[in-house]
Amino acid sequence: HSPVSFHCPAVSARQTDYAPYFYDNGPSSTNGNMALFSISEDTEVGTQLYILNGTDPEGDAVWFGLTFEKGTREYLRVDPKSGNITLIQELDREVSVTWAIVVETIRVFVTDANDEQPEFQNLPFTVDVPEVSGFTVCSQGTTTTRFTMDGHSGVLRIKPGETLDYETTATHFVIVVAKDGGGQYKGKHQVLTSTATITINVLDAQDTPPAFVGTPYFGYVYEVSLPGSEISTVFAKDGDEGNPNPIHYSITNGSEGVFTINSTSGCISLTAYPVTLRNELYEIQVKELLDYYTMTVVTVRVVDLNNHPPTFYGENGPQSQFEVTMYEHPPEGEILRGLKITVNDSDQGANAKFKLRLVGPGRVLRVVPQTVLNEAQVTVIVEDSAAIDYEKGKSLTYKLLAVEIDTPERFSATADIVIHLLDTNDNTPRFTSEYYIARIPENSPGGSNIVSVTANDPDSGLWGEVKYSIYGSRYDLFLIHPSSGIIYTQAWAILDAEVKSKYNFYVKAEDTEGKYSLAEVFVTVLDINDHAPEFDDSLVERTMVIGAPVKVEAIDADAGSPNNIIEYSIMQAEPDNIFDINAETGEIKLKSYIKSMEIVQNITKQKDCRWSLVVQARDRGSPSFSTTAVVNIDITEATQINGPMADFLLQSRDNPMKALGMVAGVIGILVGVTVLISTATFLRNTKSNRIMPARRIVIRRRPPRDRKPWTFNVPFRGSGNDSSNKFIVGDQEAGSVNVNLNNKGAPCLPPPSCPPPSSNPRPSERPRHWAAVPTVSGGLTCTGSRSSSQSREINISSDTSRIPVSSALVSELKMRLEQKIIESNSSYY
């Protein structure tokens, strides 16, 4: 910095004759007029440096200020009232050491701090040194493995015993470090360093002999070479590359007068014709003239010219095609002995070395040897037996290829190998499908064709002929033609879809040596409409309650739809237009407008209300068949009976077997319970060591005269939809039994009475069937009997005084129950 004007005025509040002045407290004081004030250049910015202190003679208040010259940097700032001076910029002693002040002239010293690194002069350092020892290189400061440096003077020297070798290392790079003595900086002691790189170029000296480059040397003389032909060239290089000497060559031994060398280029040439050469190998010694010990050897080989390609030979000379005949699928590893092949190359050495390989279907055959020198016998070996298949091809063709390996010309030769195959029985007949599906109408006559099966055997001749047969002996209805594979029925065979509609069996295809395969045949007998629908009887008796239908049913014996699907229709009715019939179910019901007996009686004057219908049952087959039946219908009016029992009775009126089956089920349950109770009692008595008398259950048959008619006692209970409480089936002797089918109960039948003597057959002649019991739709609830010891009997009565039951319905049910129970008495015991 240039000197700074430093004004510290003290101003009074009023005009006075005397100026303010600073106190002079000495150079070591921290307040006063800053005379000889010193500050370190590493002082932190913002540090309070000094306090200006002064006074006014008149005692007025004073203010302090700093004034700097134009163009100079302001490093300090003063507080006008307190006089505190603060550093506001970093100091650098190397830039400005002192400041001058005006008015009160003082000098502020900036003390040095260690903030500058050592600096190398005259960079970069490059030194040329000859490859000898003991020279002083330059002046700086560090050490390396080959160099040493004086730490004070900076002189770099080669270490004693060390030498510089241009041929080993032409340039050395030495890094030197300069370090100062250290000092304080910002309150801490620090040492600063600098580095520089010295480049030492080693100057070459004549101390290394020449050396041949590219050894060993080889040369070749061919049978077509001429005198003067270049055989090989040697090259030597002086070891002192920085200052090399010229190189000269000469042959010292081994040329035998047929080779010469150019002394400057090192080119060795032939001086005679190849036919005059007596050796196949020459070793020529070549030396460098300036140094007797620098020598090399050039090996020259007299070689044959590659002018003969490989050639294949047979028994009668060169041959380009070889043939052999053999059976298919020979064993793997077998040699094709019918092939007599020799391969030869008339050249010598590397020119006579070649490879053999087969070109054709991969990995079926292989050839040995694969590498040949001059001549070899060729052998072909089987690798994949399965691929040599007569059915895939009656012959195989391969290319046998010979190609030279190490010659520029890569001469080659080829020969065809043709293998003619003979067939063997190596295939099994195979059906064209694993199964065959056939359909035949059931009215087909005997000997009708069903389906044709086909099996193929790719073998040739007799081995490829296939014979068909049915595998197994379970199905004698069918035959198969042994050569055509046509399956047909026996002449006497009668197919009936209603008896059996599905057949399946196996057929076998077999060749002459017994190799065979199987296929399954599925035959479906197609149903023909050959049965007409049939009613159980041509005259059908039904009782119809107004509002409920009656049902007729016919059965068609045909096996499948639509031949066994029946449609019902009314062909004739007297009177007409009274009934409707459901075409699918056969349910007959009155027209919807007939809702009471009054309407019926208005239509007819017959008191019994018995009408006849002619109902037709027709199937849906083609052609269609039909049958008719006369249906006599007694019409009665529905009573007010509701509930499960009524429903049960109504449903059972046409099917007594249903009611009988339910009664039999209840009896079975009671017998089972009795057996369980008896068993439990027996076990209890046995456990208590009590001897109980034997018991026998004797069932006595009641004479027919003692048998009482069954009556229904159906007291009406309450109203509403509780069907379980509407009916009671009672026994006058044993009490009442309440049966409710909704609670999975069933009415209990009493032991049947004995039939008349004339109708009691011998035990061996007793029938084994149960008659159907007419039932009425409804629910019956078992209420239990009053006494289990009494015989049980269901009395069915048409006591109209207790409940108004239709007389016709009750009469019919009564009659049928009595008839069926009498029939079943004979088979009860």
Side-chain angles (χ1 to χ4, degrees):
H1 287 284
S2 57
V4 178
S5 287
F6 189 8
H7 298 278
C8 298
V11 181
S12 174
R14 62 179 180 275
Q15 187 69 31
T16 60
D17 295 330
Y18 301 99
Y21 61 90
F22 289 98
Y23 295 117
D24 185 4
N25 296 326
S28 61
S29 176
T30 59
N31 61 77
N33 57 5
M34 292 187 70
L36 301 176
F37 175 71
S38 298
I39 180 173
S40 175
E41 66 175 333
D42 61 348
T43 302
E44 295 281 346
V45 174
T47 303
Q48 180 178 322
L49 305 178
Y50 199 82
I51 300 175
L52 294 178
N53 193 4
T55 186
D56 183 71
E58 283 79 17
D60 292 335
V62 295
W63 287 268
F64 304 95
L66 294 176
T67 304
F68 295 89
E69 293 180 356
K70 270 188 177 183
T72 61
R73 299 178 65 180
E74 297 183 2
Y75 289 91
L76 306 177
R77 182 174 61 208
V78 64
D79 183 87
K81 292 183 178 181
S82 64
N84 290 338
I85 296 177
T86 304
L87 180 66
I88 62 174
Q89 292 196 43
E90 284 190 358
L91 300 176
D92 191 350
R93 184 176 181 276
E94 287 71 25
V95 177
S96 178
V97 178
T98 61
W99 298 312
I101 28 186
V102 182
V103 181
E104 281 289 337
T105 302
I106 61 175
R107 188 170 297 276
V108 178
F109 296 95
V110 179
T111 61
D112 188 26
N114 190 22
D115 61 344
E116 298 291 338
Q117 296 177 342
E119 184 175 350
F120 288 95
Q121 306 294 323
N122 301 321
L123 292 176
F125 296 131
T126 302
V127 181
D128 295 330
V129 180
E131 52 179 344
V132 292
S133 60
F135 281 89
T136 298
V137 179
C138 62
S139 238
Q140 291 298 333
T142 191
T143 59
T144 63
T145 56
R146 192 166 293 191
F147 301 94
T148 182
M149 176 173 280
D150 188 297
H152 298 286
S153 64
V155 176
L156 182 66
R157 294 185 176 87
I158 299 173
K159 283 184 178 181
E162 296 288 342
T163 59
L164 303 180
D165 188 357
Y166 176 86
E167 286 71 30
T168 303
T169 305
T171 303
H172 297 270
F173 297 97
V174 179
I175 298 176
V176 295
V177 179
K179 180 170 63 173
D180 63 14
Q184 293 292 323
Y185 180 71
K186 295 185 179 181
K188 295 181 180 179
H189 182 80
Q190 70 175 3
V191 178
L192 301 179
T193 61
S194 296
T195 60
T197 301
I198 301 174
T199 302
I200 303 173
N201 296 321
V202 181
L203 302 179
D204 193 14
Q206 289 297 330
D207 59 350
T208 304
F212 283 95
V213 178
T215 59
Y217 296 104
F218 296 94
Y220 299 93
V221 176
Y222 300 98
E223 58 182 339
V224 294
S225 299
L226 299 175
S229 299
E230 181 179 336
I231 303 303
S232 182
T233 300
V234 298
F235 176 72
K237 184 171 63 173
D238 192 357
D240 301 311
E241 295 182 3
N243 184 22
N245 290 323
I247 303 296
H248 298 280
Y249 308 95
S250 67
I251 296 176
T252 61
N253 195 10
S255 68
E256 298 186 7
V258 294
F259 299 100
T260 185
I261 188 170
N262 187 305
S263 62
T264 56
S265 67
C267 179
I268 300 174
S269 302
L270 181 66
T271 60
Y273 287 97
V275 294
T276 63
L277 302 182
R278 292 174 296 176
N279 301 328
E280 293 183 359
L281 186 67
Y282 294 86
E283 292 185 348
I284 304 172
Q285 294 182 356
V286 179
K287 70 177 289 289
E288 201 279 321
L289 294 177
L290 297 180
D291 190 343
Y292 180 79
Y293 298 102
T294 302
M295 299 184 64
T296 188
V297 175
V298 180
T299 302
V300 179
R301 184 181 300 277
V302 179
V303 295
D304 178 55
L305 184 65
N306 186 26
N307 55 358
H308 296 92
T311 305
F312 293 102
Y313 293 89
E315 295 180 341
N316 300 319
Q319 195 170 323
S320 60
Q321 181 171 316
F322 300 87
E323 297 185 16
V324 66
T325 300
M326 58 183 291
Y327 283 102
E328 62 176 338
H329 305 303
E332 294 180 359
E334 181 173 307
I335 298 173
L336 304 187
R337 303 188 183 278
L339 294 175
K340 306 292 184 180
I341 305 174
T342 303
V343 64
N344 175 270
D345 190 325
S346 300
D347 293 318
Q348 300 298 320
N351 293 334
K353 188 176 182 181
F354 53 92
K355 283 189 174 181
L356 290 176
R357 64 187 182 98
L358 280 175
V359 179
R363 298 188 178 181
V364 178
L365 304 173
R366 63 184 176 93
V367 62
V368 291
Q370 294 184 348
T371 302
V372 179
L373 182 63
N374 289 116
E375 184 175 294
Q377 295 291 326
V378 178
T379 302
V380 179
I381 301 175
V382 176
E383 276 199 332
D384 187 356
S385 176
I388 304 176
D389 192 350
Y390 177 86
E391 286 71 34
K392 295 179 180 178
K394 297 181 180 180
S395 63
L396 297 174
T397 301
Y398 284 83
K399 286 283 186 183
L400 181 58
L401 181 63
V403 181
E404 292 180 347
I405 300 175
D406 298 325
T407 63
E409 295 82 7
R410 304 279 291 181
F411 288 136
S412 63
T414 60
D416 293 329
I417 297 179
V418 180
I419 303 173
H420 301 285
L421 297 179
L422 300 176
D423 193 20
T424 60
N425 188 22
D426 60 330
N427 292 283
T428 300
R430 297 292 178 187
F431 283 97
T432 56
S433 177
E434 294 181 358
Y435 58 90
Y436 295 86
I437 298 175
R439 296 176 178 86
I440 182 171
E442 63 177 340
N443 61 350
S444 300
S448 298
N449 292 346
I450 300 175
V451 67
S452 176
V453 299
T454 303
N456 298 318
D457 190 332
D459 291 321
S460 61
L462 295 176
W463 291 322
E465 294 182 1
V466 179
K467 180 182 178 181
Y468 301 97
S469 61
I470 292 181
Y471 189 75
S473 58
R474 290 172 35 188
Y475 294 100
D476 297 334
L477 287 176
F478 305 100
L479 296 174
I480 186 171
H481 195 278
S483 58
S484 66
I486 296 176
I487 299 175
Y488 55 95
T489 59
Q490 294 270 19
W492 48 263
I494 298 176
L495 300 178
D496 190 347
E498 289 77 32
V499 176
K500 186 176 180 64
S501 62
K502 302 288 183 181
Y503 298 88
N504 68 295
F505 51 89
Y506 287 92
V507 291
K508 179 170 70 173
E510 185 177 11
D511 64 13
T512 55
E513 290 189 351
K515 293 184 177 181
Y516 70 92
S517 64
L518 301 177
E520 192 168 6
V521 178
F522 298 88
V523 179
T524 300
V525 179
L526 300 178
D527 183 43
I528 301 299
N529 193 22
D530 54 354
H531 292 85
E534 293 182 1
F535 288 98
D536 292 341
D537 198 346
S538 61
L539 179 63
V540 181
E541 301 286 341
R542 293 288 185 268
T543 299
M544 176 182 289
V545 177
I546 295 178
V550 295
K551 185 177 181 180
V552 295
E553 185 176 9
I555 297 175
D556 193 316
D558 286 315
S561 63
N563 299 329
N564 61 357
I565 303 300
I566 300 175
E567 293 181 348
Y568 299 92
S569 62
I570 297 175
M571 303 300 295
Q572 183 179 355
E574 181 63 36
D576 194 11
N577 199 24
I578 297 298
F579 297 98
D580 287 327
I581 189 169
N582 188 309
E584 294 182 357
T585 63
E587 289 185 347
I588 303 173
K589 62 181 180 180
L590 292 170
K591 293 286 186 179
S592 59
Y593 68 88
I594 301 177
K595 299 181 179 179
S596 66
M597 287 296 296
E598 295 178 358
I599 299 175
V600 173
Q601 292 172 357
N602 290 334
I603 296 174
T604 178
K605 295 180 180 180
Q606 298 178 9
K607 294 182 179 180
D608 56 358
C609 297
R610 184 181 182 87
W611 289 342
S612 297
L613 306 175
V614 177
V615 177
Q616 181 189 67
R618 177 178 294 275
D619 61 29
R620 295 182 181 178
S622 179
S624 178
F625 295 101
S626 65
T627 187
T628 59
V630 177
V631 181
N632 293 327
I633 299 177
D634 290 329
I635 300 177
T636 183
E637 189 173 13
T639 64
Q640 299 299 320
I641 301 175
N642 293 315
M645 185 61 185
D647 295 339
F648 176 75
L649 292 175
L650 289 174
Q651 291 178 1
S652 304
R653 68 186 184 277
D654 295 327
N655 188 7
M657 196 65 185
K658 182 176 181 181
L660 187 60
M662 181 173 292
V663 173
V666 173
I667 292 174
I669 293 174
L670 293 176
V671 171
V673 173
T674 303
V675 171
L676 290 176
I677 294 174
S678 301
T679 303
T681 304
F682 175 76
L683 293 176
R684 184 189 63 183
N685 294 338
T686 302
K687 185 175 182 181
S688 59
N689 295 324
R690 295 172 59 186
I691 300 177
M692 302 296 294
R695 296 181 180 182
R696 289 192 307 168
I697 299 176
V698 178
I699 301 177
R700 297 180 178 178
R701 299 182 181 179
R702 180 180 296 177
R705 63 180 177 273
D706 297 335
R707 179 172 50 84
K708 296 182 179 181
W710 287 35
T711 59
F712 270 121
N713 295 325
V714 195
F716 180 80
R717 290 190 178 183
S719 61
N721 298 324
D722 187 3
S723 59
S724 64
N725 297 323
K726 291 182 179 179
F727 296 95
I728 293 179
V729 180
D731 188 333
Q732 294 177 354
E733 297 180 0
S736 63
V737 178
N738 204 5
V739 182
N740 186 358
L741 288 182
N742 294 333
N743 295 331
K744 301 184 188 277
C748 303
L749 292 178
S753 301
C754 296
S758 60
S759 62
N760 186 18
R762 294 191 304 272
S764 60
E765 297 176 354
R766 292 172 184 172
R768 297 295 181 180
H769 63 275
W770 288 86
V773 178
T775 60
V776 178
S777 299
L780 302 180
T781 303
C782 289
T783 59
S785 61
R786 296 177 184 175
S787 175
S788 61
S789 62
Q790 298 177 358
S791 62
R792 298 182 179 181
E793 186 173 10
I794 298 177
N795 296 323
I796 303 175
S797 174
S798 58
D799 187 0
T800 57
S801 63
R802 302 185 64 181
I803 184 169
V805 180
S806 171
S807 58
L809 175 62
V810 172
S811 298
E812 181 181 2
L813 291 175
K814 182 178 179 181
M815 177 184 65
R816 293 189 181 185
L817 281 174
E818 290 178 354
Q819 178 182 357
K820 298 301 180 181
I821 291 175
I822 290 173
E823 294 176 355
S824 64
N825 284 338
S826 60
S827 60
Y828 182 79
Y829 297 100

